[in-house]
Amino acid sequence: MIKDIVVNLSLGDNGGVVTNYAVSVAEAFNAHLAGIAFVFDPIVPVSGIGYVPPEVIDMQVADNQSSSKAAVDRFSAAASRAGISAESISLNASAAGSGERFGHIARRFDLAIVGQADPEANSIEEIIAESTLFESGRPMIVVPYIQKGPLKLDLIMVCWDGSRPAARAIADAMPFLEKAKRVELVIVTNDSGKKDEIEGVDMGQHLARHGLKVEVKRTDSGGIDIADALLSHAADSGADFVVMGGYGHSRLREFVLGGVTHSMLRSLTVPALLSH
């Protein structure tokens, strides 16, 4: 059951994309929505420039406060139009520390929503998405920066490889799957002769027992990257929403994204729910 959602309010010009999508998710589940807007600390070079005039730092502070306020105003207006229960919170944080802080906040919610990093902008949203995936212990929806419409669940594509993260994602996504008109369970193989299920685990049958209309689809990678094969299938099938496990490993106390997860986060064109 999803009744409490948190969204990271993007501060960029395209910030309304994530805000509007998060509001539509809260509306669909009759859930409360909390919007977190960070006021980032000024960036002061530690070498190469030397003395930084106070007025330059003051200008950064003013700009960051203005951007945060604009994000909150945008969020409040969207929530008011939809008539949902909502609150906004402004927090001070460094750019590097914002991801971990948001991830910790997300532990107290049923679902976190973040924006995909715009490749033409900075990487703060990428930091927040990665930290939320590994630090929150909660499912996370990543909203593409090119997203145009609200939540749509005509066809959900579920990525299945028999792994623990994939199983966790399916369980976390059940409230969405129950609202879907159709569900495709997609398996990428390197051998067209493989069976439709991984190691005999009949996940398709499991979902059908939940009353879901499920089709099991096997797609041959054809020698291309798995992420590319999944994205290609999503485009060909017209999927509105993707469910997948988030993969990573620990290195010197930091999580490092797995290759497929990293590629998917960079290249998503439809919203995706990820769990780790």
Side-chain angles (χ1 to χ4, degrees), residues 51-259:
Y51 175 72
V52 178
E55 56 267 26
V56 173
I57 297 176
D58 291 343
M59 186 179 298
Q60 278 195 56
V61 170
D63 287 346
N64 292 347
Q65 290 174 339
S66 177
S67 295
S68 180
K69 182 180 183 304
V72 167
D73 290 345
R74 191 164 49 224
F75 171 78
S76 298
S80 178
R81 286 193 300 270
I84 64 169
S85 170
E87 64 178 314
S88 59
I89 304 167
S90 295
L91 298 173
N92 293 309
S94 66
S98 59
E100 184 175 9
R101 188 162 190 191
F102 185 80
H104 288 180
I105 290 170
R107 293 173 183 174
R108 305 191 292 272
F109 292 83
D110 299 319
L111 173 70
I113 300 178
V114 302
Q116 178 190 41
D118 186 335
E120 301 299 322
N122 58 50
S123 61
I124 291 176
E125 304 228 337
E126 186 172 16
I127 292 171
I128 291 175
E130 292 182 12
S131 296
T132 302
L133 177 62
F134 294 122
E135 295 286 348
S136 70
R138 297 294 191 175
M140 170 186 80
I141 291 178
V142 180
V143 183
Y145 65 89
I146 62 170
Q147 180 68 22
K148 299 297 183 185
L151 175 68
K152 185 180 178 184
L153 300 173
D154 288 350
L155 173 59
I156 295 182
M157 182 180 112
V158 177
C159 307
W160 177 243
D161 62 359
S163 68
R164 179 198 131 345
R168 179 73 265 166
I170 289 173
D172 287 339
M174 197 59 70
F176 291 87
L177 297 174
E178 289 171 346
K179 287 182 177 291
K181 292 181 180 178
R182 291 194 301 125
V183 176
E184 281 190 358
L185 188 75
V186 178
I187 303 164
V188 177
T189 72
N190 294 314
D191 179 359
S192 59
K194 286 188 177 180
K195 292 186 296 183
D196 282 341
E197 287 295 342
I198 303 293
E199 301 291 334
V201 180
D202 196 346
M203 181 55 75
Q205 189 175 62
H206 167 70
L207 293 177
R209 290 191 180 111
H210 281 269
L212 305 181
K213 185 177 180 181
V214 184
E215 275 189 273
V216 176
K217 298 279 189 176
R218 183 185 60 238
T219 179
D220 189 351
S221 69
I224 66 173
D225 182 81
I226 292 177
D228 290 338
L230 289 170
L231 290 166
S232 177
H233 185 89
D236 291 344
S237 66
D240 308 302
F241 194 84
V242 171
V243 173
M244 63 176 288
Y247 302 86
H249 62 276
S250 181
R251 183 181 68 190
L252 299 178
R253 297 178 62 191
E254 292 184 355
F255 277 103
V256 180
L257 283 177

Side-chain angles (χ1 to χ4, degrees), residues 20-32:
N20 292 336
Y21 191 85
V23 166
S24 75
V25 175
E27 194 173 13
F29 289 97
N30 192 27
H32 178 77

